[in-house]
Amino acid sequence: MLFLPAAALCCLCSVMVTMAEELIQSDLTLTRRPGESVSFSCGGTDQCSSPIVDWYQKKDTRDSFRMLLSINTKNGAITKGYNHPEEEDFSAVKKQDGWELEIKKVKDVHSATYYCCCSKSSHRDRIFGSGVKLYVTDMPVLKPSVTVYQAASSDHLEEKRSLLCVASQMVPPVVQITWKRQEQDGSSLALPPGGTEQLDVIESDYTASILLIHQRDENSHTYDCSVTHEGGTVERQIEEGVSQSPPKELPPDTLSTNQTLTERPSSEHPVSQKQVKLLCLVYTVLITKSLVYCCGVSLLRLVRRSCKHAAD
């Protein structure tokens, strides 16, 4: 009776390993007006066991993945017949880096996220790209307005200093936020693992990233917040330990929530409900991540033990 669940757990282990690798879809979003053309690239196909790359469409979080077509990356041959209602709108186009998925004339119905996929070593072992979201709209692409400042500093948070980076007023509303620390020679390097933790809060009109700094250091450091967007990359700097007031272009909710987080509550600066909600959100995310990590470790131990029993 142990062989069936053990086999299932072994398959799960294989899927988890597969998910660690992915194809390369470098665009976060693509914005087009109705009637314009668009194409989606897919890199890293040298990992695939065959030249066949499958393309999927996902319209929203509640919708399932729908197969569009398959493209032979060697000759551009297309395989259709997956009962997609708009399958005739999709084709393949030859680009410098290979064959890409193309829509010659986009329509509102094409607004969705598009994923490429291929088989790695067997038909069951498949790897996906991160996905590219297509926006069909007449609105122009606008770079985000980016602000950075101290997010929190109080007695009970001394060991975990926090910086906040907020991107707002961008079209389309999708960004990717990364943090780096400047060294003494002026170069920017990726944050060392274990010393920091990044928490992202995504809302309809802004995206905020909280950088939690765990390590105590007597020296003050300058941190770079880099916001990647379809309209270009925007970078801002902040020196740790230097209080800054949020500029006026912050979203109203964000401004009132974080404006006095670096100050002690007093009769002149009462703690608002929005401040409490933000802090509760941060702690909730931390607790959730800790629980997910513990569950992941427990699952991996169970997988190893079950696979070992199945092998015996």
Side-chain angles (χ1 to χ4, degrees), residues 8-279:
L9 288 170
C10 289
C11 292
L12 176 60
C13 184
S14 175
V15 170
M16 294 176 66
V17 172
T18 302
M19 291 176 61
E21 303 172 350
E22 62 179 27
L23 299 176
I24 300 171
Q25 293 183 263
S26 55
D27 296 311
L28 287 174
T29 61
L30 290 172
T31 303
R32 296 291 186 273
R33 290 183 172 89
E36 293 183 339
S37 64
V38 67
S39 64
F40 304 88
S41 62
C42 183
T45 54
D46 54 330
Q47 308 173 71
C48 306
S49 60
S50 75
I52 304 301
V53 173
D54 300 327
W55 283 92
Y56 290 84
Q57 180 194 69
K58 192 173 190 299
K59 290 199 171 183
D60 56 44
T61 55
R62 295 168 296 179
D63 192 23
S64 59
F65 285 82
R66 300 199 66 173
M67 184 78 168
L68 290 173
L69 51 78
S70 299
I71 300 176
N72 188 317
T73 56
K74 286 188 176 180
N75 55 25
I78 297 176
T79 302
K80 294 185 178 180
Y82 300 101
N83 297 321
H84 192 282
E86 293 93 35
E87 70 172 13
E88 295 304 320
D89 297 339
F90 299 91
S91 59
V93 59
K94 177 67 173 178
K95 297 287 186 177
Q96 184 177 359
D97 296 331
W99 290 90
E100 299 182 358
L101 175 69
E102 181 186 42
I103 309 175
K104 292 183 178 180
K105 291 185 178 181
V106 299
K107 297 179 287 189
D108 291 339
V109 71
H110 296 141
S111 295
T113 304
Y114 294 87
Y115 297 85
C116 59
C117 170
C118 72
S119 299
K120 186 175 180 182
S121 58
S122 66
H123 189 67
R124 294 181 179 178
D125 191 9
R126 300 173 65 78
I127 50 178
F128 281 79
S130 56
V132 179
K133 188 165 186 177
L134 173 64
Y135 287 89
V136 181
T137 176
D138 288 323
M139 296 182 63
V141 175
L142 297 177
K143 281 187 178 182
S145 173
V146 180
T147 55
V148 290
Y149 48 96
Q150 301 287 332
S153 178
S154 57
D155 292 341
H156 64 284
L157 288 176
E158 284 183 352
E159 298 301 323
K160 290 186 179 181
R161 295 153 293 160
S162 304
L163 303 177
L164 181 64
C165 181
V166 180
S168 61
Q169 303 175 6
M170 59 273 189
V171 178
V174 179
V175 296
Q176 184 179 44
I177 300 179
T178 56
W179 291 87
K180 292 183 179 180
R181 192 177 78 178
Q182 282 200 352
E183 300 302 310
Q184 294 182 350
D185 60 1
S187 62
S188 295
L189 298 178
L191 299 176
T196 59
E197 187 173 2
Q198 181 176 338
L199 306 174
D200 293 336
V201 179
I202 301 175
E203 297 292 341
S204 59
D205 54 349
Y206 70 89
T207 296
S209 178
I210 302 172
L211 181 67
L212 301 177
I213 306 171
H214 301 304
Q215 294 177 339
R216 292 294 299 170
D217 193 339
E218 295 181 356
N219 298 322
S220 178
H221 296 283
T222 298
Y223 289 84
D224 295 336
C225 173
S226 179
V227 180
T228 303
H229 183 259
E230 183 180 343
T233 300
V234 181
E235 294 186 351
R236 294 290 184 267
Q237 295 181 349
I238 184 171
E239 184 177 355
E240 175 195 359
V242 178
S243 298
Q244 297 184 2
S245 297
K248 294 182 180 180
E249 63 265 21
L250 276 175
D253 290 344
T254 307
L255 179 62
S256 60
T257 300
N258 303 291
Q259 188 171 9
T260 59
L261 286 181
T262 58
E263 302 171 347
R264 289 175 176 271
S266 64
S267 58
E268 297 180 358
H269 301 285
V271 178
S272 67
Q273 292 183 355
K274 292 182 179 179
Q275 291 177 351
V276 174
K277 288 181 180 179
L278 179 62
L279 291 175

